[in-house]
Amino acid sequence: MVDVSQHNLVPEHSVLDNGGVEAVLEDYGVDRTDLPKITRRDPALPDEAEVGDVIEIRRDSRTADNALVYRLVVDS
Amino acid sequence: MTEITTEIEDSVEDTRLPRRLKEEVYGTIEDREVTPKEASEIAAAVESRYLDTRIDPLDPVGTVSAQSIGEPGTQMTMNTFHYAGVAEIDVTQGLPRLIELVDARKTPDTPMMTVHLEDEYAEDREKAHEVVWSIEATKILALGDISTNVADMLVRVDLNEGTLAERWPTAEDTEEVAIEIADIIEDSLGVSTARDGMAIEFGPEEPSYRDLFRLVEELRDVTFKGIEDVNRVVIRKEQLAPGREEFVLYTEGSAFGDALEIEGVDASRTTCNNIHEIYRVLGVEAARETIIEETMNTLEEQGLDDVNVRHLMLVADIMTNDGTIQSIGRHGISGSKDSVLARAAFEVTVNHLLDAAINGEIDDLNGVTENVIVGKPIKLGTGDVDLRMGAARREDQASEGDGEEARAD
């Protein structure tokens, strides 16, 4: 299998710890389920990610420097 | 000409500009004669302009994006086929391509891959050709001649030795390749073959004209080497950076996952124009990136490159919001709106109203469409801002006139 994370199109994915999740939700004023989703079987997901985790994605943005976005891991 | 001193740096870093704009400010200052005072004025002016141009709360960004993509869409070609961009490969362009992207079709009209090669393969034409042959599907007609001997009920394949040597550059001798081909024929057609040098003969078990011709038909479809879905590969020498030329392959037909596994293929730069294949192999973030890239390229190809990329980013964000790729339209985003009235207003009105009635759905009237239907103010822009007065304080300060107490809610 090829290492998906090495591809130019795939930004860095990392699992956000609980404290980080709280801060993000507080900052945006939303619930966990309001976040964009990522499926459990997504090839770019880190191995340790489980359903319910929040993934922090560091995109190389076209309009800003780096863009941090968050996706909630969901089943299916 | 101006050196960036710590003083200038401080004044620029103090602004709320994103990194990219800060770099641009530094670049501009460096090019000219600027005093530190002027530099800080420049930084302040850029910052205020930047804050000014940001989207206001309650701005209908979706509607603005829809119009910003829709209007240029009216100027695009209706022609599906166009030999533009890449050497002799047909690529769907213009409006049909844009529609295909936002509809998230399972397979594009003209799937293609751009295959970049690893260092040693990218510089050497011979090595690059090795990769070409392991990607392009090789059918029997490319390897030799087929003849049918009706009298003896035999199909005879005369392999061309030169072609074998060319297409299997790594094999020791062509005899081996012929054996391999005979094996593939046996496996895929279920017949036993007799081989004599470059000639392979086989026939149906029972003498039958129909079976004989069926075997010939089936033989034409067997893939002997390469990826079945890739019909053609074009090799081009390209200058990617000054002084650095490399071979890049363009394929007609795509099989992204398989292509990445092939030796010599650079699995970090190779791409494909099928967003679903990208999604399957690289995940939802890569799919989002590809949607933006492909829509932007489609617009640019038509000279409509002044569409702001943010509109396309919004479209891509919405399409990948739920972790899979959803199409814009009845089967995707528009069909999954919360409001019954909004869905009914879009397409297949009666079905939506009927289903909603059966399920006892409730419409909260939050969106645009449903409020237009019932004639309420739309909750957008100034339509969602109320003026309120603090009732308690009005009593004691009635005489002073307390305009400040009015606040946006």
Side-chain angles (χ1 to χ4, degrees), chain B residues 115-127:
Chain B
V115 180
H116 288 269
L117 302 173
E118 274 169 351
D119 294 339
E120 51 181 313
Y121 290 87
E123 282 151 22
D124 180 354
R125 188 176 278 272
E126 299 261 303
K127 289 282 234 176

PDB file of all heavy atoms in Angstrom, chain B residues 115-127:
ATOM      1  N   VAL B 115       0.486  11.433 -14.495  1.00  0.00           N
ATOM      2  CA  VAL B 115       1.390  10.594 -13.726  1.00  0.00           C
ATOM      3  C   VAL B 115       2.779  11.215 -13.713  1.00  0.00           C
ATOM      4  O   VAL B 115       3.403  11.377 -14.761  1.00  0.00           O
ATOM      5  CB  VAL B 115       1.464   9.167 -14.331  1.00  0.00           C
ATOM      6  CG1 VAL B 115       2.400   8.301 -13.517  1.00  0.00           C
ATOM      7  CG2 VAL B 115       0.083   8.556 -14.398  1.00  0.00           C
ATOM      8  N   HIS B 116       3.232  11.566 -12.518  1.00  0.00           N
ATOM      9  CA  HIS B 116       4.595  12.054 -12.373  1.00  0.00           C
ATOM     10  C   HIS B 116       5.482  10.873 -12.005  1.00  0.00           C
ATOM     11  O   HIS B 116       5.030   9.912 -11.393  1.00  0.00           O
ATOM     12  CB  HIS B 116       4.660  13.122 -11.286  1.00  0.00           C
ATOM     13  CG  HIS B 116       4.026  14.402 -11.706  1.00  0.00           C
ATOM     14  ND1 HIS B 116       4.734  15.409 -12.306  1.00  0.00           N
ATOM     15  CD2 HIS B 116       2.751  14.828 -11.640  1.00  0.00           C
ATOM     16  CE1 HIS B 116       3.921  16.403 -12.583  1.00  0.00           C
ATOM     17  NE2 HIS B 116       2.695  16.079 -12.185  1.00  0.00           N
ATOM     18  N   LEU B 117       6.750  10.960 -12.376  1.00  0.00           N
ATOM     19  CA  LEU B 117       7.645   9.826 -12.167  1.00  0.00           C
ATOM     20  C   LEU B 117       8.691  10.136 -11.118  1.00  0.00           C
ATOM     21  O   LEU B 117       9.017  11.294 -10.860  1.00  0.00           O
ATOM     22  CB  LEU B 117       8.326   9.461 -13.484  1.00  0.00           C
ATOM     23  CG  LEU B 117       7.355   9.110 -14.617  1.00  0.00           C
ATOM     24  CD1 LEU B 117       8.113   8.931 -15.914  1.00  0.00           C
ATOM     25  CD2 LEU B 117       6.578   7.859 -14.282  1.00  0.00           C
ATOM     26  N   GLU B 118       9.220   9.072 -10.544  1.00  0.00           N
ATOM     27  CA  GLU B 118      10.300   9.246  -9.578  1.00  0.00           C
ATOM     28  C   GLU B 118      11.583   9.613 -10.311  1.00  0.00           C
ATOM     29  O   GLU B 118      11.735   9.332 -11.503  1.00  0.00           O
ATOM     30  CB  GLU B 118      10.483   7.953  -8.780  1.00  0.00           C
ATOM     31  CG  GLU B 118       9.535   7.915  -7.602  1.00  0.00           C
ATOM     32  CD  GLU B 118       9.487   6.568  -6.928  1.00  0.00           C
ATOM     33  OE1 GLU B 118      10.070   5.613  -7.481  1.00  0.00           O
ATOM     34  OE2 GLU B 118       8.868   6.469  -5.867  1.00  0.00           O
ATOM     35  N   ASP B 119      12.521  10.196  -9.570  1.00  0.00           N
ATOM     36  CA  ASP B 119      13.700  10.827 -10.165  1.00  0.00           C
ATOM     37  C   ASP B 119      14.321  10.115 -11.363  1.00  0.00           C
ATOM     38  O   ASP B 119      14.332  10.634 -12.467  1.00  0.00           O
ATOM     39  CB  ASP B 119      14.775  11.040  -9.097  1.00  0.00           C
ATOM     40  CG  ASP B 119      14.308  12.059  -8.072  1.00  0.00           C
ATOM     41  OD1 ASP B 119      13.391  12.829  -8.431  1.00  0.00           O
ATOM     42  OD2 ASP B 119      14.828  12.073  -6.952  1.00  0.00           O
ATOM     43  N   GLU B 120      14.830   8.885 -11.158  1.00  0.00           N
ATOM     44  CA  GLU B 120      15.579   8.259 -12.248  1.00  0.00           C
ATOM     45  C   GLU B 120      14.675   7.947 -13.446  1.00  0.00           C
ATOM     46  O   GLU B 120      15.114   7.982 -14.589  1.00  0.00           O
ATOM     47  CB  GLU B 120      16.272   6.985 -11.759  1.00  0.00           C
ATOM     48  CG  GLU B 120      15.326   6.057 -11.039  1.00  0.00           C
ATOM     49  CD  GLU B 120      16.042   4.808 -10.541  1.00  0.00           C
ATOM     50  OE1 GLU B 120      16.788   4.232 -11.323  1.00  0.00           O
ATOM     51  OE2 GLU B 120      15.828   4.437  -9.371  1.00  0.00           O
ATOM     52  N   TYR B 121      13.398   7.671 -13.185  1.00  0.00           N
ATOM     53  CA  TYR B 121      12.487   7.379 -14.274  1.00  0.00           C
ATOM     54  C   TYR B 121      12.126   8.643 -15.038  1.00  0.00           C
ATOM     55  O   TYR B 121      11.887   8.615 -16.232  1.00  0.00           O
ATOM     56  CB  TYR B 121      11.209   6.736 -13.735  1.00  0.00           C
ATOM     57  CG  TYR B 121      11.417   5.340 -13.208  1.00  0.00           C
ATOM     58  CD1 TYR B 121      11.803   5.120 -11.899  1.00  0.00           C
ATOM     59  CD2 TYR B 121      11.230   4.245 -14.040  1.00  0.00           C
ATOM     60  CE1 TYR B 121      11.997   3.840 -11.414  1.00  0.00           C
ATOM     61  CE2 TYR B 121      11.428   2.960 -13.574  1.00  0.00           C
ATOM     62  CZ  TYR B 121      11.807   2.759 -12.257  1.00  0.00           C
ATOM     63  OH  TYR B 121      11.995   1.492 -11.790  1.00  0.00           O
ATOM     64  N   ALA B 122      12.082   9.764 -14.306  1.00  0.00           N
ATOM     65  CA  ALA B 122      11.637  11.009 -14.910  1.00  0.00           C
ATOM     66  C   ALA B 122      12.655  11.599 -15.877  1.00  0.00           C
ATOM     67  O   ALA B 122      12.310  12.381 -16.749  1.00  0.00           O
ATOM     68  CB  ALA B 122      11.313  12.026 -13.816  1.00  0.00           C
ATOM     69  N   GLU B 123      13.932  11.212 -15.731  1.00  0.00           N
ATOM     70  CA  GLU B 123      14.957  11.836 -16.564  1.00  0.00           C
ATOM     71  C   GLU B 123      15.353  10.984 -17.759  1.00  0.00           C
ATOM     72  O   GLU B 123      15.922  11.483 -18.723  1.00  0.00           O
ATOM     73  CB  GLU B 123      16.199  12.133 -15.702  1.00  0.00           C
ATOM     74  CG  GLU B 123      15.992  13.378 -14.857  1.00  0.00           C
ATOM     75  CD  GLU B 123      16.780  13.336 -13.567  1.00  0.00           C
ATOM     76  OE1 GLU B 123      17.757  12.587 -13.506  1.00  0.00           O
ATOM     77  OE2 GLU B 123      16.382  14.054 -12.625  1.00  0.00           O
ATOM     78  N   ASP B 124      15.063   9.696 -17.704  1.00  0.00           N
ATOM     79  CA  ASP B 124      15.535   8.777 -18.729  1.00  0.00           C
ATOM     80  C   ASP B 124      14.343   8.288 -19.553  1.00  0.00           C
ATOM     81  O   ASP B 124      13.404   7.706 -19.026  1.00  0.00           O
ATOM     82  CB  ASP B 124      16.218   7.599 -17.997  1.00  0.00           C
ATOM     83  CG  ASP B 124      16.751   6.571 -18.969  1.00  0.00           C
ATOM     84  OD1 ASP B 124      16.481   6.717 -20.173  1.00  0.00           O
ATOM     85  OD2 ASP B 124      17.431   5.640 -18.501  1.00  0.00           O
ATOM     86  N   ARG B 125      14.384   8.550 -20.855  1.00  0.00           N
ATOM     87  CA  ARG B 125      13.241   8.199 -21.695  1.00  0.00           C
ATOM     88  C   ARG B 125      12.950   6.698 -21.665  1.00  0.00           C
ATOM     89  O   ARG B 125      11.792   6.281 -21.646  1.00  0.00           O
ATOM     90  CB  ARG B 125      13.480   8.666 -23.130  1.00  0.00           C
ATOM     91  CG  ARG B 125      12.246   8.517 -24.022  1.00  0.00           C
ATOM     92  CD  ARG B 125      12.483   9.073 -25.408  1.00  0.00           C
ATOM     93  NE  ARG B 125      12.302  10.509 -25.473  1.00  0.00           N
ATOM     94  CZ  ARG B 125      11.124  11.103 -25.702  1.00  0.00           C
ATOM     95  NH1 ARG B 125      10.059  10.365 -25.868  1.00  0.00           N
ATOM     96  NH2 ARG B 125      11.032  12.405 -25.759  1.00  0.00           N
ATOM     97  N   GLU B 126      14.022   5.880 -21.677  1.00  0.00           N
ATOM     98  CA  GLU B 126      13.847   4.420 -21.657  1.00  0.00           C
ATOM     99  C   GLU B 126      13.099   3.979 -20.403  1.00  0.00           C
ATOM    100  O   GLU B 126      12.138   3.221 -20.471  1.00  0.00           O
ATOM    101  CB  GLU B 126      15.217   3.729 -21.665  1.00  0.00           C
ATOM    102  CG  GLU B 126      16.051   4.043 -22.877  1.00  0.00           C
ATOM    103  CD  GLU B 126      15.953   2.935 -23.905  1.00  0.00           C
ATOM    104  OE1 GLU B 126      16.266   1.792 -23.537  1.00  0.00           O
ATOM    105  OE2 GLU B 126      15.534   3.236 -25.036  1.00  0.00           O
ATOM    106  N   LYS B 127      13.565   4.514 -19.252  1.00  0.00           N
ATOM    107  CA  LYS B 127      12.959   4.151 -17.978  1.00  0.00           C
ATOM    108  C   LYS B 127      11.500   4.622 -17.935  1.00  0.00           C
ATOM    109  O   LYS B 127      10.622   3.916 -17.450  1.00  0.00           O
ATOM    110  CB  LYS B 127      13.730   4.805 -16.823  1.00  0.00           C
ATOM    111  CG  LYS B 127      15.093   4.215 -16.596  1.00  0.00           C
ATOM    112  CD  LYS B 127      14.963   2.915 -15.853  1.00  0.00           C
ATOM    113  CE  LYS B 127      15.814   2.891 -14.614  1.00  0.00           C
ATOM    114  NZ  LYS B 127      15.615   1.659 -13.858  1.00  0.00           N
TER     115      LYS B 127
END
